[in-house]
Amino acid sequence: MQALQNKICSEGKVLSAEVLKVDSFLNHQMDPALMQDIGREFAKRFVDEGITKIVTIESSGIAPAIMTGLELGVSVVFARKRKSLTLQNNLYISQVHSFTKQETNDISISKEYLQATDRVLIIDDFLANGQAALGLLDVVKQSGATAVGIGILIEKSFQSGRTLLEQTGVRIESLARVASLEDGTVTFLETVTAGGAQS
Amino acid sequence: MQALQNKICSEGKVLSAEVLKVDSFLNHQMDPALMQDIGREFAKRFVDEGITKIVTIESSGIAPAIMTGLELGVSVVFARKRKSLTLQNNLYISQVHSFTKQETNDISISKEYLQATDRVLIIDDFLANGQAALGLLDVVKQSGATAVGIGILIEKSFQSGRTLLEQTGVRIESLARVASLEDGTVTFLETVTAGGAQS
């Protein structure tokens, strides 16, 4: 998606060969018009999948997810993140390890808001090691609902997440695929033509 | 705001005389179309205030704030909530005590995203004891920016927050003002006429 790639190029900060910081438009300050464009793009890509619900994770997934939900006309549920949850009967719970923060969190969704008949689109901001998306897939699976797609804003294609997710067979759409952050420069996987035909 | 009051009446769960749970459309599952209506309502009420930035707090404030930002054409910053932050030079930090959870969190906003020239609209989901809104006001004040308004979705008018906030002199707009939750029933402060003329 051209607009997102442009924003990453103009405002993203490459902190290391593995860390891209996009606090100015996604992870702390948010650009509402860009989030609306992203919602429209996800809706366009997934419109034929019969989606009935969007699932994301707090906090940075919420803005793109709510815009996608608005376009598709479906509700959005955000999974809560907690250090650890005592077993609760009314929650679907999965564990998510963050390699960046070196900590494991429980993520949870109330059983009230996922039904076995739901066709779910998962939205998340980053795909790196894939742990958050796999946790969300696990939660959806526990409910008996069908995960029909995963929509990612920024994929770090040089990390293992994409491959891990592909093994689940669920369709993945990443709006910006970062091939490398070497030498302080963001290189995208697909070369975008002037007309924006690709990616 | 009629649509929000209707939603509270049809889906809100009164857990006690002090607790109203709205997990089905705001605090866990979110209704994107209602969030858009809320964003439009806040935009209408604050359009003449020359707002340059919206500030909210993770996680439930994000959806209504991003929709308001979209309508007003300004960026949104969400304050992060943490158990405690070691002093960091690049953050404005304030402490917020939650009476419900009986815990105190630090909330923070990066100095990069609030300027002394900003005219800020604060958006939050609930107003109860006012501690979150006062914390956000404190953060805005530290930056030298001007807080020109506070937009609240659901105000529990029988608690102390409204009075505390009014003492700051900042304009407050609450879309639904709950007078009482006694006897398991939600009673609003203003009686809404059939035509929706009030509130």
Side-chain angles (χ1 to χ4, degrees):
Chain A
M1 184 188 170
Q2 188 68 61
L4 180 57
Q5 291 193 10
N6 291 349
K7 196 79 168 181
I8 292 168
C9 290
S10 62
E11 298 190 16
K13 290 177 187 166
V14 180
L15 299 189
S16 73
E18 302 213 321
V19 180
L20 171 65
K21 201 175 168 190
V22 291
D23 269 12
S24 73
F25 63 88
L26 178 60
N27 293 134
H28 187 21
Q29 180 168 259
M30 303 176 294
D31 179 333
L34 179 63
M35 294 302 127
Q36 184 181 48
D37 288 346
I38 284 167
R40 287 176 175 163
E41 181 67 26
F42 280 135
K44 198 174 72 180
R45 295 190 189 197
F46 289 104
V47 69
D48 295 326
E49 300 282 3
I51 286 155
T52 62
K53 191 149 292 188
I54 291 171
V55 164
T56 188
I57 187 165
E58 60 183 355
S59 290
S60 295
I62 293 175
I66 198 87
M67 291 299 184
T68 310
L70 185 67
E71 294 297 322
L72 289 171
V74 300
S75 295
V76 178
V77 185
F78 65 86
R80 296 178 188 281
K81 226 182 295 180
R82 293 284 181 277
K83 269 277 179 285
S84 80
L85 287 159
T86 46
L87 196 65
Q88 291 191 44
N89 283 330
N90 60 332
L91 297 177
Y92 300 117
I93 301 174
S94 190
Q95 289 202 322
V96 173
H97 183 71
S98 165
F99 290 97
T100 322
K101 296 180 185 162
Q102 281 296 321
E103 62 179 30
T104 300
N105 283 299
D106 282 358
I107 64 166
S108 67
I109 287 185
S110 166
K111 293 185 181 179
E112 282 187 76
Y113 306 121
L114 274 179
Q115 310 305 323
T117 50
D118 275 322
R119 292 178 60 80
V120 176
L121 171 60
I122 291 168
I123 299 278
D124 205 7
D125 56 342
F126 268 91
L127 174 58
N129 295 295
Q131 301 305 299
L134 287 170
L136 292 171
L137 277 171
D138 180 36
V139 162
V140 171
K141 193 178 170 187
Q142 288 176 43
S143 75
T146 307
V148 295
I150 300 168
I152 299 290
L153 274 66
I154 305 175
E155 172 187 315
K156 292 193 286 184
S157 309
F158 55 88
Q159 289 181 288
S160 60
R162 175 81 187 206
T163 307
L164 280 173
L165 284 191
E166 280 177 348
Q167 287 165 6
T168 67
V170 179
R171 179 180 166 196
I172 308 160
E173 293 282 346
S174 300
L175 302 187
R177 303 185 71 188
V178 176
S180 159
L181 296 171
E182 298 292 334
D183 304 323
T185 306
V186 183
T187 311
F188 293 102
L189 201 63
E190 285 121 319
T191 310
V192 179
T193 60
Q198 275 186 286
S199 178
Chain B
M1 183 187 171
Q2 188 68 61
L4 179 57
Q5 292 194 8
N6 291 349
K7 196 78 165 178
I8 293 168
C9 289
S10 62
E11 298 189 16
K13 290 177 188 167
V14 180
L15 299 189
S16 73
E18 301 212 322
V19 180
L20 171 65
K21 200 173 169 192
V22 290
D23 269 12
S24 73
F25 64 89
L26 177 60
N27 293 133
H28 186 21
Q29 180 168 259
M30 303 177 295
D31 180 333
L34 179 64
M35 293 303 128
Q36 185 181 47
D37 288 347
I38 284 167
R40 287 176 173 163
E41 181 67 26
F42 280 135
K44 197 175 73 179
R45 295 190 189 196
F46 288 105
V47 69
D48 296 326
E49 301 282 3
I51 286 156
T52 62
K53 189 148 295 191
I54 291 171
V55 165
T56 187
I57 187 165
E58 62 183 354
S59 288
S60 295
I62 293 175
I66 199 88
M67 291 299 183
T68 309
L70 185 68
E71 294 297 323
L72 289 172
V74 300
S75 295
V76 178
V77 186
F78 64 88
R80 297 177 188 280
K81 227 183 295 183
R82 292 285 181 273
K83 270 277 179 285
S84 79
L85 287 160
T86 46
L87 195 65
Q88 292 191 45
N89 283 332
N90 60 332
L91 297 177
Y92 300 117
I93 300 173
S94 190
Q95 289 202 320
V96 173
H97 182 71
S98 165
F99 289 98
T100 320
K101 295 179 185 163
Q102 282 297 323
E103 62 179 31
T104 300
N105 282 298
D106 282 359
I107 63 166
S108 66
I109 288 185
S110 165
K111 292 184 181 179
E112 282 187 76
Y113 306 121
L114 274 179
Q115 311 305 325
T117 49
D118 274 323
R119 292 177 60 79
V120 176
L121 171 59
I122 290 168
I123 299 278
D124 205 7
D125 57 342
F126 268 91
L127 172 59
N129 296 296
Q131 300 304 300
L134 287 170
L136 291 171
L137 278 170
D138 180 36
V139 163
V140 171
K141 192 178 170 187
Q142 288 176 43
S143 74
T146 308
V148 296
I150 301 168
I152 299 290
L153 273 66
I154 304 175
E155 172 187 315
K156 293 193 285 183
S157 309
F158 54 90
Q159 288 180 288
S160 60
R162 175 83 188 208
T163 307
L164 280 173
L165 285 191
E166 280 176 348
Q167 289 164 6
T168 68
V170 179
R171 178 180 167 196
I172 308 159
E173 293 283 345
S174 301
L175 302 187
R177 304 184 70 188
V178 176
S180 157
L181 296 170
E182 297 291 335
D183 304 323
T185 305
V186 182
T187 310
F188 294 102
L189 202 62
E190 287 122 317
T191 310
V192 179
T193 61
Q198 276 185 286
S199 177

